[in-house]
Amino acid sequence: MRTFCPNCAERRPNDADHCDDCGAALERAPEDTPIGVVLDNKYFITAALGRGGVGAVYRARQRSMDRDVAIKVLAPERIADERAIARFKREARAVSLLSHPNIITVHDFGTTQEIHYLVMELIEGEPLSRVVAPKRPLPFARAVSIVTQICDALAEAHDQGIVHRDLKSQNVMITPQRGNPDFVKVLDFGLVKIFNADHAAALTEAGRIVGTPAYMSPEQIEDLPVDPRSDLYSVGVILFELLSGQPPFASDDIAATLTRQIHDPLPRLSAINPAVVLPITVDRFLERAMAKDPTSRPASAGAFKHELLELAKAVGGEESETLVAPLPYQVPVLPHIDPDEAE
């Protein structure tokens, strides 16, 4: 076991219980984890934050700046996987192009002792997918506030020629910042596509379905060219989820979800959750946002935001809250197709 002080970001003797310097209780971590290790002589890893298909995210202290950061580390079993490494580097380069309050900030990227890592701002908050829990919709005004911030983030990405391609409630963090308890941070640009670069073809997984089926646009599912309007479809799914309690075509059957995204008409909010009471104009907007034909959707993230705010003004006079009762069902755990594991 490693023994360390989480405050001082320093190793301590294994037989000690408290830090001699600051008096804090010491923590211990198994030797087979990076917790308690100094990465690249700069970042002292103090805790695990989460794990995904291609790696894990840790809390760390950046010694030179005396600040806490989040570090995404490529999984050890992926260090020889050229596709996973390319995807990892692509995410770092894409986010480094972006500068917006609603997009996570990247501080550093590097490789040391065969460890590929990405250093980002540490966000104290929770995923939007948990904000909807316990399986209850949000008030309409709150949903609009969150979604318009997502639109602002996408406008910056799209202006830089970047399509996210994996936008979902799990990849949106809600954190109290700038006097706003629902400040949005868009994360995880690991599936980005550079749509206005000459080398764009090299940055995609041709012939491979990538993303999260419940949030994917029909054109993305069918491996057709995608542009910013594909992200807007995903924003529509998120808005539907916030207002009803779940995505419209959610299922634990991946094939069924993909088929429904392509062919099925969008259900009414009340069909998913009968307790929701909102004007029909909200359903009409969602139908436009999630139109099967990309040309029928709002033309840009800015246009999506403008139309939604205009809708909110109109709805405000009729019904500004989503009326709900406890839902009689459990929202399924949504599957995700990892491009580095898809056959």
Side-chain angles (χ1 to χ4, degrees):
M1 298 291 285
R2 298 189 190 95
T3 302
F4 63 96
C5 174
N7 290 340
C8 300
E10 296 286 351
R11 294 283 292 272
R12 295 292 183 247
N14 285 338
D15 58 356
D17 292 321
H18 291 81
C19 178
D20 289 338
D21 291 343
C22 72
L26 299 179
E27 297 184 6
R28 290 173 172 81
E31 292 284 347
D32 60 352
T33 75
I35 299 173
V37 169
V38 179
L39 182 65
D40 212 5
N41 295 316
K42 294 185 285 186
Y43 306 103
F44 189 95
I45 299 177
T46 58
L49 295 178
R51 181 173 295 276
V54 297
V57 180
Y58 297 92
R59 187 185 191 110
R61 177 68 58 80
Q62 184 179 4
R63 288 173 155 177
S64 62
M65 301 293 289
D66 193 26
R67 67 179 174 184
D68 287 339
V69 295
I71 298 184
K72 181 183 288 190
V73 177
L74 192 65
E77 62 269 21
R78 301 288 190 136
I79 60 175
D81 186 336
E82 293 184 2
R83 183 184 292 114
I85 294 172
R87 173 182 168 186
F88 201 71
K89 291 180 177 179
R90 181 174 67 221
E91 178 179 7
R93 290 168 181 163
V95 183
S96 70
L97 295 174
L98 307 177
S99 178
H100 193 277
N102 294 121
I103 297 176
I104 192 168
T105 299
V106 167
H107 298 310
D108 193 11
F109 175 77
T111 302
T112 179
Q113 298 176 335
E114 295 189 326
I115 297 176
H116 300 276
Y117 66 89
L118 176 63
V119 183
M120 303 166 286
E121 66 174 308
L122 179 67
I123 300 172
E124 303 284 3
E126 59 182 345
L128 182 56
S129 54
R130 293 182 187 171
V131 173
V132 186
K135 315 306 183 276
R136 289 176 62 87
L138 300 185
F140 183 71
R142 187 181 183 194
V144 169
S145 173
I146 290 171
V147 169
T148 52
Q149 291 179 76
I150 297 173
C151 288
D152 288 339
L154 287 180
E156 164 69 12
H158 296 164
D159 284 349
Q160 297 298 325
I162 293 172
V163 180
H164 191 289
R165 294 205 303 170
D166 196 24
L167 197 63
K168 54 187 175 182
S169 57
Q170 294 94 326
N171 284 343
V172 176
M173 287 289 289
I174 302 299
T175 179
Q177 283 189 25
R178 305 182 182 209
N180 182 355
D182 287 330
F183 196 84
V184 164
K185 288 281 188 177
V186 176
L187 319 177
D188 200 347
F189 284 74
L191 296 185
V192 296
K193 176 183 177 182
I194 312 300
F195 68 89
N196 66 351
D198 293 337
H199 61 288
L203 298 178
T204 62
E205 293 82 11
R208 300 160 63 90
I209 297 176
V210 295
T212 304
Y215 296 85
M216 291 168 66
S217 68
E219 63 267 26
Q220 185 175 352
I221 293 170
E222 296 185 294
D223 196 31
L224 299 173
V226 297
D227 61 25
R229 292 169 297 186
S230 180
D231 282 345
L232 299 184
Y233 183 96
S234 302
V235 178
V237 176
I238 291 173
L239 179 58
F240 192 105
E241 177 182 10
L242 297 184
L243 295 177
S244 71
Q246 72 174 70
F249 303 121
S251 168
D252 56 4
D253 184 330
I254 291 179
T257 299
L258 296 175
T259 299
R260 293 180 67 195
Q261 292 279 34
I262 296 172
H263 299 294
D264 286 11
L266 185 68
R268 293 278 303 275
L269 290 166
S270 58
I272 297 297
N273 179 1
V276 174
V277 180
L278 281 170
I280 188 64
T281 50
V282 177
D283 290 288
R284 295 289 178 260
F285 176 80
L286 288 167
E287 289 174 358
R288 174 164 158 72
M290 297 180 60
K292 308 300 184 185
D293 181 356
T295 63
S296 296
R297 300 172 202 153
S300 67
F304 190 113
K305 175 182 176 179
H306 174 76
E307 292 182 29
L308 181 56
L309 289 175
E310 290 298 310
L311 173 65
K313 291 179 184 177
V315 170
E318 303 176 56
E319 181 58 71
S320 61
E321 297 291 318
T322 307
L323 305 180
V324 298
L327 299 183
Y329 52 79
Q330 292 292 316
V331 176
V333 176
L334 302 176
H336 178 270
I337 301 177
D338 187 338
D340 301 315
E341 294 177 355
E343 295 297 333

